[in-house]
Every structure is written in structure tokens, then in C-alpha cells.
């Protein structure tokens, strides 16, 4: 398919310039050619930033007619290279000028935003009406909601509220033939045929471009609470989760695992602020509660700790007594990725596992990595969702760049075990251009065949984000 | 497409008998040829009840090769004729022998069931491990989980827990070419390509047959409470919902609207038990809470009522003081469909609307129906989801059968207004063979075209449940 695609050339640009306002055309700034991990570099392209869905439609129609590839570009924060095409000069379709919050309907708990709206702005628009848009992730200050939906972004509140797809009630999207799907329904139930919304969410721009979405809001929890509890190991952390769920049900907004190695990395990098424990625990969990006005989160956390102590799950912990203390505990968790970056990982893995397999997986994976060499492992993340970031680092004092030859072996060990435990080699980051080969290797063959048929049916010329999800051939 | 399909004939049956055990072949019992509304009657067929996914695969492969249509059959309780094919003699593929609960993983809050498992049995298997499988609907004693997923069934707990698709983590399914999709993952996060699970949920058997599913369980709420509060009108009911959500967040499991007409119908039909109000209210809402062990649902409901009274939203109500009283209140709600059936509707509509449009819609719809004639309207249902069953009845003392000529006009009025308010003409029942024309008329053209392409790509011979979702041509 890829062989038939054309590069953007002067004639194509001239044609588009005759059809679109000057403002749509943007300089090929380096930001459009880079991605956070530095693994992919763009091969050039024509940057277009339309201000309306009609213009997106016009652009896609022209690209389809000319067989010019299209790379949709949101905030550029994706971690699998879905936003950067190295081997061609595509149209880079940036949503940066479509940033309007079209409407907030507090009585419906619905917000309608254009795809280019920054996630933090969507959160703020909800908050200004005393509502919560719960999608929350490290890049929320710069990622755009269209990108969040296209990659089905996760983050820290999935346990309670679901991931981006679950938070999306309806979409407006331009399909690969340029037609506009008007699906901005504000309905909780709509059983009228195939769920195109769910299909486009997570398709990473390979089936069309989401231009706007109607999003679910929630009542803002009246009272929040946060605790960091020491646990003996990941198995104890999972028992603590079960205990917490039995007491607090859906009141638990986040349940994050932190490994001692992560705390060491924070310390070594001068990040994360003051650490609350005198003796650095091997494992701890960060628990966040969002409760109603008649519940006392500090009291609930205190009782949870007492229960955990009695059950032998925890013998030390900190319960935040103020918003400042809550922020300080969250800072620890949120700056772990920065600390990891400072230390420099050989290989990073965004994996998920059935909850009951996590402890066993970690034992086996750590042992297998130890057989490869004296590497350090920082495993942390969204334990409540079974989603861990399992990152492998060089021995203390050595640089990751000296171990790039090990990357493939490390990856094979980790993903092989993930497969064995029926997990996923990409829990929340997606496939992008980083993992199409892994998808072919570990994916279910019948599903892969169906995906290929759907892709060919909706995008017969293969213009939409080529090389993403499906291997470039 | 339909023109190319073949009927089951003796040669086809002989071939299958050579490949499959005798037990797979079932007599063509009348239950396979009827549906609850009596609108569709089967045109015959060969009933096959395989006991394994491999046998389902074999059957579909043979049907694909011979171009014999396949009608997947679950509990037979669907309300849009998806389970009965009037104009052909298909293979009727019943899941009745694949009823195993394959596993319950309480520590993961996951259950794996075969498609033929009765919904009530799935609920019971979860309950036996102190967990909740929250999908709950009138036919739960006979509908099968595969049918629930294929139709993305809704019911009374969608407000809190989502509909069937939302409760499904993974599926095993036989695709239209007979290949088996092994997707029974037990993961909360798995971003590895297109969401085939979400696509097959709600596809009503047109893209394959779901043979098993991994399902989300929840901690069982420690304490439940139920109240029936009188409200002046639907607008007040929605304000009450907002008030309740601000206080109780996700603690509200159900929020159902009941119209006085429904209470009258119950009384006239001798159904629903004793009615709790001395003066029959024009409107009331049934609220169900599921809370943690430290919360008192009766106290919460009492405070909610006080708040509602102060805000002028309610001046009368009943709070259940025991499980028996809770059941009695629910009996009122649950027997309204039976009472409707006894009275006999001219036309029934399973619609959804943006929450803020409901009061306006009801005013306009009632006025428009009144212009047609002295009909009675019973509008009731899942108000928290914006999902109402808007049913139109003949004048008192007259029979619905005398008004069949009015059916189309009534429907056009209701669906026309639904469209105007950006609602859905099928909120939870699906399209089946009842509403493909409505889907063509009211559906988004770009989405319909994409659906057609997906259908043709995955089921090129069109064998899977022909006439469902897409009009038979």
C-alpha cells in the first residue's frame, strides 16, 4: 500500500493554497518532527493547521485524491511515535487551531470540545462548572484531547472513571474519504449500529481524524484524601487494594504502586521533594480518594490503614492532612518518570497484566532480567488497573547508551513473560510506529486479520497515518 | 447481497451431520421462531446448538462456504426481532449448550462466561464470591450473556456501571469467515490496535458470534437503599438527580422515572402490588443507592428528601425501611412493562435524549400526540441515562388493535422530535429487523457508509444475521 503513496510536492501545495486561507499553512517547526523519546525524526512535510472541520474534510479529500499521506498531530506528546513519520513527506495535520470548548452542559454532565483543546483546558472548563473531567496524565498541560482520544489515553484515574474511550460519548470525525461523521451525541445510551466512536478511539489516526468530541463529566467529589502506605511487596499492595475496594468501592480514584528504586532515583536526581519515610520502603502505594460531602477521607484512610496493619499488609504510612500535603505526596509519584529520564533507561515497557498475575510476573521478570546482567528495574504505576511501567536501567554509575545492544533482549524477556501471563505489551501508550512488529508477533491472528480488513475498507489508499499500528511495507 | 444467499437444504444438513455430534442438532421448536413482541415469525431453519467454540467455528465456516445465512440465537428475549429471520431458512445457531462460567477471579473483579450463560446465573456466580455483576434487566432470568453483549443491553444500572459493552473486558468470538478471535483478556487497559470487542458488542450478530466474554465485576455495595419520591414534573426529577449526584456521586445505582399513567395501568391490571401514595402522583422517581459500610443509605435518602423538599422539588415520598420494602418499591417499577402489555400499546419507543432536553421533549411530544387523537402516553424508564420508554396507548376502553393504522404516524411524530432534540430512536434495544429503515432515515450518512464498508469487509458473503441493522434488499 505504502508504495503507492506520493510525497507532498509543489503542485499539491499550490493546489491547497488556492483552496485554503494562508493561516492554515504553518512553517515546518522542529516540534512537528520530534517526539519525546527521540526515537523517531520526521522526514519533512507540509504542516496544515485548519480552523474548521470543513477545512479538515477538504484537506483529507485532496490527500485521498492525490494519495498523499496524512499524519494527524495533536500535542505531540505521544510516546510511540504515532505523530512523526520518518520515511516520507506527508501532510502534517495539526489540530492546534481547533481548540474551542464548544459547550459545557453541567446539568447533563457533558462537555463538547474541539480536538485541539489542551487537556488541562478541558479539565478547567469542567471545573469552572463544578464538574470533573477525570482524564489526568503527566502531559495534561500540552496534550490535546483529540490525541488523547485517538490513542485512548489512560493516566491515573482509569481505575475509577475509565480511559479516554470510556469518557467519550460521541465524536465528530473526518473519515479517510473526507466525509464528515457528525456523531457529537450527548447520550449515555444509543444502540443504533456499530460503535464507530469506540473504533476511532484508539485507532491512532489510522481510520480518520477526530475533530471534536462530547465528553462525560462527573460530579466533583466533595472531599479528597491521599495517603502513601508502605507495603511489604506487590502482593500485599493488591490485598490492600481489595481491602480498600470493599470499604470504599468506587470512592478510590487512584491506586499507584511505587518501588523503592523509584524513590532512590528521585533522590539521586534531586526530584520529588522531601521523602516522607525515614527508612526508604521497598514498596509503597499512593491511594487517592474522592468522596461525598458526608464522608471524611482522612478518617476513612486512617481506618483503612488500621485494617491494613491488622491484616499485616502495612506497618507505616502517611495520610495527607492538607491540600499541600496531598500535592507533596503526588509530586513523588508524578516526578518518577522525570527521575527515570535523568537516570536513563535501557528499555521502557508500558505493560498490563491480570491483577492476580502481577506479583508472580514481577518475580519472574526481575529474575530473568537479573540473568541478563546487573541491571536495575523500576516497576511502578497504575496498579489498580494492572498497568505497570516496567523500566530497565543500567547498573549504578553506568550509562544507558552503553547498553543499547541489550535493548532487544530485555524487550523480548519482558514481552515474552507478559504474553505468558496473558497481559498486554502496550497498556496505555498504544502501538504507533514503535510497536507494529510486536503487535504482529503477540497479537491475536484473527483480530489482526479483521483489523487489516477494516483498515483497507475505510482507508483503501492507506493515506491515514501510514506505518502506525500496521507495519510499513 | 441477500439474493446470493442459499437456504439450508438436505445436502447441507447431511454434510453437517457428518461433521458434528447428533446432540448439536435440535428440533425446530416454536421458541426459535417467535419473539416477545409478536412482530416477526421465523421462516424455518436448521437449529444447531454446538457445545464448543470449535464447533461454532466449524458451523460458520461451512455456512460461509455454502453461503447459508446464520442467525445467532441467545435467550430469544430481544425486542427488535434480531433473533428471528422471517424470509429464509437459515442456520439458527443457538448458544444454549455453551453455558459454563469458565472462571471467577474475585481478586481481579473479573468473571469469564460462555455466551449461553443466563444473565441471572452470571449475577449469581459473581454474588457467590461477594462480587456484583451489575447488568440487570427485566429478562435477566432467561436472556443469555452473549445476546446481552451482542445487543449492548442496558437496564437499570447503566447510570452507575455502564451498559453491557462497558462491562466487557474481552471476548472470544467466531468471525464471519469462521476464524476464532481469542480475546478473553482480563485487562483494564490494552491499547493494542482497533477495539474489535467494542465493535462486536452492539453489532447484533452481524459481524460474528460472541462465544465467551470476560466481564467486569465490582465490589458488592455494603449497604443498599431505595426511595420513591414524588416530583412535580420531569424537570424537577432532573434537578433532583443533580442534587443526588452532588451528594452521593457514583453511589446512585438507579434513577428511574415513573409516570402516573404507569401507576394507573398497574392498578387497572392488578399488578405492581400495593401503591405507596394515597393520592397517585403525576410523576415520581425511584432512587436506588449502593453505599459503603460506613454510610447509612436510609439516612442519606432522608437528607436527600429534606434537601429536595427545601428546593421545592418533592413534597412526598417513601424510603424503604427493609429489604422487603425495597423489593416492593422495585416491583412497582419492574411491572410497568407488564401492565403496558396488558393495556396494549399502539406503539412503543425506546428513546434517549440529552438530559437537558427531556422535559421539553416530553411537552412537545405529548402535545403532538394529543393532536393525533385522545391517546394516552406512558413515558417512564431510566431517567438518569436520558433513556425513556415512550409508549402510546389507545383511549381508555378501546383496543390497540383498532389503531394499528396510526402506528406509523405516531412513530414519525416521536422519532421526528427525537431527531430534532439530537436524541436516539433506539437507546438500548438495538436495531434488529425492526428499525433498519429508521436507521437509514435518521442515521448519520458518513457513519452508515462506514458501517456498510466494515460489514462488507468482515462478512463479504453477508451470511451473518441478514436483515439485521442493514435493510434486506
Amino acid at each position: 500500500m505504502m508504495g503507492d503513496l506520493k510525497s507532498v510536492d509543489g503542485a499539491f501545495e499550490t493546489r491547497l493554497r488556492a483552496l485554503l486561507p494562508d493561516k492554515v499553512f504553518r512553517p515546518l517547526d522542529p516540534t512537528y518532527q520530534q517526539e519525546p523519546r527521540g526515537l523517531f525524526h520526521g522526514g519533512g512535510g507540509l504542516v496544515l493547521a485548519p480552523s474548521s472541520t470543513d477545512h479538515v474534510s477538504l484537506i483529507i479529500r485532496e490527500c485521498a485524491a492525490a494519495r498523499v499521506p496524512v499524519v494527524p498531530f495533536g500535542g505531540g506528546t505521544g510516546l510511540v511515535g504515532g505523530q512523526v513519520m520518518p520515511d516520507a513527506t506527508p501532510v502534517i495535520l495539526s489540530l492546534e487551531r481547533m481548540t474551542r470548548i464548544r459547550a459545557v452542559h453541567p446539568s447533563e454532565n457533558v462537555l463538547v470540545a474541539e480536538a485541539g483543546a489542551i487537556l488541562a483546558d478541558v479539565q478547567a472548563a469542567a471545573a469552572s462548572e463544578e464538574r470533573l473531567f477525570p482524564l489526568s496524565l503527566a502531559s495534561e498541560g500540552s496534550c490535546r484531547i483529540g490525541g488523547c482520544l485517538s490513542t485512548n489515553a489512560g493516566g491515573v484515574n482509569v481505575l475509577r472513571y475509565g480511559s479516554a474511550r470510556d469518557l467519550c460519548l460521541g465524536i465528530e470525525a473526518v473519515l479517510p474519504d473526507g466525509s464528515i461523521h457528525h456523531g457529537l451525541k450527548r447520550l449515555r445510551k444509543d444502540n443504533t449500529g456499530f460503535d464507530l466512536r469506540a473504533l476511532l478511539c484508539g485507532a491512532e489516526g489510522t481510520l480518520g481524524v477526530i475533530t471534536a468530541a462530547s465528553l462525560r463529566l462527573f460530579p466533583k467529589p466533595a472531599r479528597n484524601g491521599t495517603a502513601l502506605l508502605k507495603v511489604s511487596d506487590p502482593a500485599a499492595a493488591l490485598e490492600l487494594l481489595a481491602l480498600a475496594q470493599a470499604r470504599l468501592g468506587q470512592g478510590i480514584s487512584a491506586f499507584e504502586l511505587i518501588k523503592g528504586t523509584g524513590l532512590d532515583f528521585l533522590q539521586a536526581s534531586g526530584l520529588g521533594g522531601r521523602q516522607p519515610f525515614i527508612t526508604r520502603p521497598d514498596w509503597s502505594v499512593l491511594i487517592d480518594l474522592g468522596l461525598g460531602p458526608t464522608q471524611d477521607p482522612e478518617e476513612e484512610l486512617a481506618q483503612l490503614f488500621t485494617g491494613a496493619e491488622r491484616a499485616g499488609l502495612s506497618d507505616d504510612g502517611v495520610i495527607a492532612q492538607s491540600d499541600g500535603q496531598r500535592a507533596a505526596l503526588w509530586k513523588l509519584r508524578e516526578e518518577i518518570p522525570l527521575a527515570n529520564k535523568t537516570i536513563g533507561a535501557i528499555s521502557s515497557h508500558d505493560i498490563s497484566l491480570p491483577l492476580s498475575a502481577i506479583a508472580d510476573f514481577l518475580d519472574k521478570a526481575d529474575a530473568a532480567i537479573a540473568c541478563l546482567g546487573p541491571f536495575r528495574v523500576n516497576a511502578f504505576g497504575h496498579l489498580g488497573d494492572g498497568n505497570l511501567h516496567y523500566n530497565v536501567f543500567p547498573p549504578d554509575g553506568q550509562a544507558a547508551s552503553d547498553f543499547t545492544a541489550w535493548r532487544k533482549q530485555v524487550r523480548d524477556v519482558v514481552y515474552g513473560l507478559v504474553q505468558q501471563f496473558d497481559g498486554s505489551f502496550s497498556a496505555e501508550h498504544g502501538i504507533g510506529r514503535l510497536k507494529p512488529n510486536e503487535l504482529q508477533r503477540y497479537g491475536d491472528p484473527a483480530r489482526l486479520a479483521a483489523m487489516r480488513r477494516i483498515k483497507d475498507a475505510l482507508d483503501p489508499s492507506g493515506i491515514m497515518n501510514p506505518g502506525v499500528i500496521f507495519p510499513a511495507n
Side-chain angles (χ1 to χ4, degrees), chain A:
Chain A
M1 197 66 67
M2 291 278 291
D4 296 343
L5 293 176
K6 308 274 182 275
S7 292
V8 168
D9 60 15
F12 183 79
E13 181 172 345
T14 304
R15 189 175 158 71
L16 283 186
R17 283 198 179 269
L19 295 167
L20 291 163
D22 282 353
K23 273 191 160 176
V24 172
F25 297 82
R26 298 266 149 169
L28 184 64
D29 194 275
T31 52
Y32 302 113
Q33 301 279 282
Q34 299 164 348
E35 49 82 29
R37 291 225 165 124
L39 299 171
F40 298 92
H41 301 277
L46 175 65
V47 181
L48 300 176
S51 63
S52 72
T53 305
D54 284 342
H55 281 172
V56 175
S57 164
L58 186 153
I59 292 165
I60 300 286
R61 220 174 274 278
E62 291 296 323
C63 289
R67 297 182 159 257
V68 166
V70 181
V71 177
F73 195 93
T77 60
L79 294 171
V80 289
Q83 69 278 49
V84 170
M85 189 172 176
D87 42 5
T89 49
V91 162
I92 297 163
L93 182 70
S94 171
L95 280 303
E96 67 197 63
R97 289 175 69 221
M98 294 181 65
T99 59
R100 268 202 316 141
I101 306 293
R102 288 196 192 159
V104 188
H105 303 272
S107 71
E108 299 178 10
N109 280 316
V110 175
L111 179 153
V112 183
E114 289 183 348
I118 300 282
L119 175 51
D121 293 339
V122 175
Q123 294 168 344
S128 72
E129 299 283 352
E130 293 301 312
R131 294 295 183 277
L132 174 73
F133 181 63
L135 189 68
S136 175
L137 32 110
S139 60
E140 62 196 25
S142 52
C143 66
R144 299 182 190 273
I145 190 68
C148 295
L149 293 167
S150 292
T151 57
N152 187 30
V156 293
N157 292 331
V158 174
L159 176 66
R160 178 170 186 165
Y161 297 103
S163 49
R165 183 188 288 121
D166 304 312
L167 298 172
C168 173
L169 294 171
I171 54 168
E172 177 189 271
V174 176
L175 302 182
D177 62 358
S179 64
I180 301 173
H181 166 41
H182 296 283
L184 282 183
K185 298 252 180 182
R186 313 195 310 263
L187 307 173
R188 308 282 157 164
K189 285 178 168 179
D190 181 21
N191 273 350
T192 55
F194 304 165
D195 192 348
L196 198 60
R197 170 201 65 84
L199 188 63
L200 263 73
C201 288
E204 305 183 32
T206 62
L207 297 178
V209 183
I210 294 172
T211 53
S214 47
L215 302 168
R216 296 182 69 177
L217 304 181
F218 291 81
K220 230 178 172 170
R223 303 180 65 182
N224 296 93
T226 305
L228 183 69
L229 303 189
K230 179 186 160 194
V231 290
S232 51
D233 53 33
L238 286 162
E239 282 186 63
L240 179 59
L241 174 63
L243 198 70
Q245 285 180 323
R247 285 192 69 86
L248 296 155
Q250 289 160 299
I252 307 160
S253 301
F255 195 92
E256 299 282 309
L257 183 70
I258 296 176
K259 191 179 177 178
T261 314
L263 298 176
D264 294 343
F265 285 3
L266 285 168
Q267 196 119 45
S269 315
L271 289 162
R274 201 178 60 78
Q275 298 202 4
F277 296 106
I278 294 169
T279 313
R280 183 279 265 157
D282 285 342
W283 297 96
S284 52
V285 289
L286 185 70
I287 308 172
D288 206 78
L289 302 184
L291 303 176
T294 60
Q295 289 172 287
D296 179 346
E298 286 164 30
E299 176 59 25
E300 293 286 352
L301 286 166
Q303 289 195 21
L304 177 65
F305 175 67
T306 306
E309 210 176 12
R310 210 173 292 140
L313 302 174
S314 179
D315 62 9
D316 199 2
V318 186
I319 297 172
Q321 305 294 318
S322 67
D323 282 350
Q325 288 182 16
R326 286 189 63 217
L329 291 181
W330 269 105
K331 187 179 163 75
L332 273 177
R333 164 63 186 86
E334 281 169 351
E335 295 193 351
I336 289 175
L338 286 176
N340 285 342
K341 212 167 180 174
T342 309
I343 303 292
I346 300 169
S347 188
S348 307
H349 310 94
D350 163 41
I351 60 174
S352 63
L353 294 150
L355 283 183
S356 65
I358 285 181
D360 205 7
F361 167 84
L362 284 173
D363 283 349
K364 289 212 165 64
D366 289 358
I369 296 295
C371 287
L372 294 182
F375 300 127
R376 291 172 296 173
V377 171
N378 188 13
F380 68 101
H382 319 303
L383 186 68
D385 310 314
N387 176 196
L388 295 180
H389 300 304
Y390 189 92
N391 297 354
V392 179
F393 296 84
D396 197 6
Q398 295 186 256
S401 53
D402 295 337
F403 293 89
T404 45
W406 290 83
R407 198 172 269 168
K408 193 187 166 320
Q409 269 186 80
V410 167
R411 203 168 52 206
D412 284 352
V413 160
V414 175
Y415 292 159
L417 274 168
V418 164
Q419 178 86 342
Q420 199 177 305
F421 284 101
D422 221 2
S424 170
F425 64 90
S426 190
E428 58 175 11
H429 295 166
I431 301 295
R433 291 181 174 83
L434 186 63
K435 297 183 178 176
N437 290 329
E438 276 79 7
L439 180 54
Q440 292 299 316
R441 179 168 174 187
Y442 300 113
D444 173 61
R447 177 163 161 265
L448 291 178
M451 282 170 52
R452 182 78 255 178
R453 287 180 183 198
I454 292 168
K455 169 71 174 172
D456 291 344
L458 295 185
D459 182 18
S461 317
I463 60 166
M464 291 308 309
N465 222 359
V468 167
I469 295 184
F470 304 94
N473 41 345

